[in-house]
Every structure is written in C-alpha cells, then in structure tokens.
Amino acid sequence: MALDVKKMLSGSGSPDWIKSQDLISKLQYRINKEETASRIYLAMSNWANIHGWLGTSSFMRKQASEEYHHGEEFAQFLLGLNVQPIVDVLPKPVKQSFSSLHEMFQDVMVLELQVTKECNEIADLSMQVKDFVVHEIALKFCKEQHQEILLKMTIMDIMELARHDNTPLLFIEKQIGEMKR
C-alpha cells in the first residue's frame, strides 16, 4: 500500500499545519501588495530618471526589485506549504509624477508604514492562532520593514535639511543612489 503524503498533508485543500485560512488569505494579499509596491517604486524610478535624479532613480529601481522578490518569497513560502499562490491583476500606480523628490519620498514613507502595519498584522494573527511556521516568515519581514523605515527616515531627514537649497540636494541625491540596505 502506497503512502499518500498529499492526502495526509492536505485535508480540505490546505495543509493541516496551517491553522487559519485567514492567514493564507493575508499571505496571498501580501504577494499582490509586494508586487504592486514594486510597480509603484518602478514608476518613481522612471520619474526620477526623467527629471535627472539618476542616483534616486537607481535607488528606487533597486527598491522595486526588492519588493518584487519579497512577493516571490511569499509565493515560494506558500508553495512550500502546498498552497497555490494566486497570480492577481496588478493595478497601475495611481501616482507617476511628483512635484519634488521630497514629495516622492513622503509617498515612499507612507507606503512603507502601510506595509509595516500589514506585516505586523500577519505576525499578530499567526501568534493568535499559534501558527509558528507563518510567524517565522512574518517576523523576518517585520525586521526587514524596521530596517526599511529607518533607511527612509534617514533619507527624509536629510531631504528636510536640504529642502530650501538645491545645492546640497544634488550631493544628497548622489548619496541616495549609493545607499545600500
């Protein structure tokens, strides 16, 4: 008699060790939001490039790539749990033009704060239902978001200092292009 591992692992279509369908939905949602963030950052990179902010354009393109890869990490995580990730339609970035670098980075900060909130919600729910496998990946992304917020706060602080004088802004913009996570 052959051992039916898939049957043992998946009763109702999701593995027994996933304690909450709501968690699966939140992880599916994260895939879409990470890919959407990637497109938003790509639009920002394109805007910065057209306006001569090549360092910022390069930085935002790297950010776009990171966000896309975050979505892939969530997808691979679900696949590892024998859950099929849903490939959804991505919205066009609503805003593709900005009055200044400062405005663009304000929008970046708003997006990063939203992502942080959503990652914290996944971590919270995974603890409530005692799903420690999901909690592990949620913590990884919570830590990563903490680093992202600190980096973006540094950029915003520097931008605020140079807001009324574009001479230092050119120097700062070059440094943004060289920043690493």
Side-chain angles (χ1 to χ4, degrees), residues 55-67:
T56 298
S57 176
S58 173
F59 177 78
M60 294 310 298
R61 194 162 294 276
K62 289 176 198 165
Q63 295 292 296
S65 177
E66 284 180 17
E67 298 303 327

Side-chain angles (χ1 to χ4, degrees), residues 55-99:
T56 298
S57 176
S58 173
F59 177 78
M60 294 310 298
R61 194 162 294 276
K62 289 176 198 165
Q63 295 292 296
S65 177
E66 284 180 17
E67 298 303 327
Y68 177 79
H69 288 293
H70 292 164
E72 282 297 303
E73 281 185 65
F74 281 112
Q76 290 301 313
F77 181 78
L78 286 176
L79 286 168
L81 297 175
N82 202 34
V83 174
Q84 182 177 346
I86 304 302
V87 177
D88 210 347
V89 175
L90 297 178
K92 177 176 128 182
V94 174
K95 194 170 180 184
Q96 297 196 35
S97 186
F98 308 89
S99 64

Side-chain angles (χ1 to χ4, degrees):
M1 173 152 95
L3 185 62
D4 190 349
V5 176
K6 283 193 176 192
K7 185 175 181 184
M8 292 171 64
L9 293 178
S10 62
S12 63
S14 65
D16 293 336
W17 65 82
I18 297 181
K19 311 255 191 267
S20 165
Q21 191 61 41
D22 193 30
L23 270 177
I24 293 172
S25 296
K26 285 188 178 295
L27 293 172
Q28 298 276 19
Y29 177 78
R30 275 285 10 108
I31 293 168
N32 183 273
K33 294 304 279 187
E34 295 292 341
E35 291 176 354
T36 299
S38 174
R39 293 172 59 93
I40 291 168
Y41 287 166
L42 183 59
M44 290 175 169
S45 172
N46 293 341
W47 175 85
N49 186 290
I50 288 298
H51 288 84
W53 301 112
L54 302 183
T56 298
S57 176
S58 173
F59 177 78
M60 294 310 298
R61 194 162 294 276
K62 289 176 198 165
Q63 295 292 296
S65 177
E66 284 180 17
E67 298 303 327
Y68 177 79
H69 288 293
H70 292 164
E72 282 297 303
E73 281 185 65
F74 281 112
Q76 290 301 313
F77 181 78
L78 286 176
L79 286 168
L81 297 175
N82 202 34
V83 174
Q84 182 177 346
I86 304 302
V87 177
D88 210 347
V89 175
L90 297 178
K92 177 176 128 182
V94 174
K95 194 170 180 184
Q96 297 196 35
S97 186
F98 308 89
S99 64
S100 66
L101 282 178
H102 187 266
E103 177 191 344
M104 188 190 81
F105 276 107
Q106 284 178 324
D107 289 357
V108 168
M109 183 60 88
V110 168
L111 179 58
E112 291 295 343
L113 290 170
Q114 182 62 37
V115 170
T116 300
K117 178 180 177 262
E118 292 168 0
C119 287
N120 285 335
E121 289 171 358
I122 293 171
D124 183 51
L125 179 59
S126 66
M127 281 303 291
Q128 287 175 32
V129 299
K130 297 183 180 354
D131 191 325
F132 303 113
V133 173
V134 173
H135 190 68
E136 187 176 319
I137 194 170
L139 284 181
K140 174 189 181 287
F141 280 95
C142 286
K143 288 176 187 175
E144 202 164 301
Q145 277 308 118
H146 177 73
Q147 293 171 344
E148 288 292 329
I149 294 295
L150 290 177
L151 176 61
K152 303 314 188 301
M153 284 175 60
T154 299
I155 291 171
M156 291 296 296
D157 288 347
I158 293 169
M159 295 287 260
E160 188 59 36
L161 290 173
R163 198 162 154 194
H164 303 290
D165 182 1
N166 278 346
T167 305
L169 187 58
L170 293 171
F171 174 73
I172 291 164
E173 194 276 334
K174 182 179 183 298
Q175 285 184 316
I176 290 170
E178 296 169 359
M179 284 186 167
K180 296 192 175 37
R181 286 188 16 108

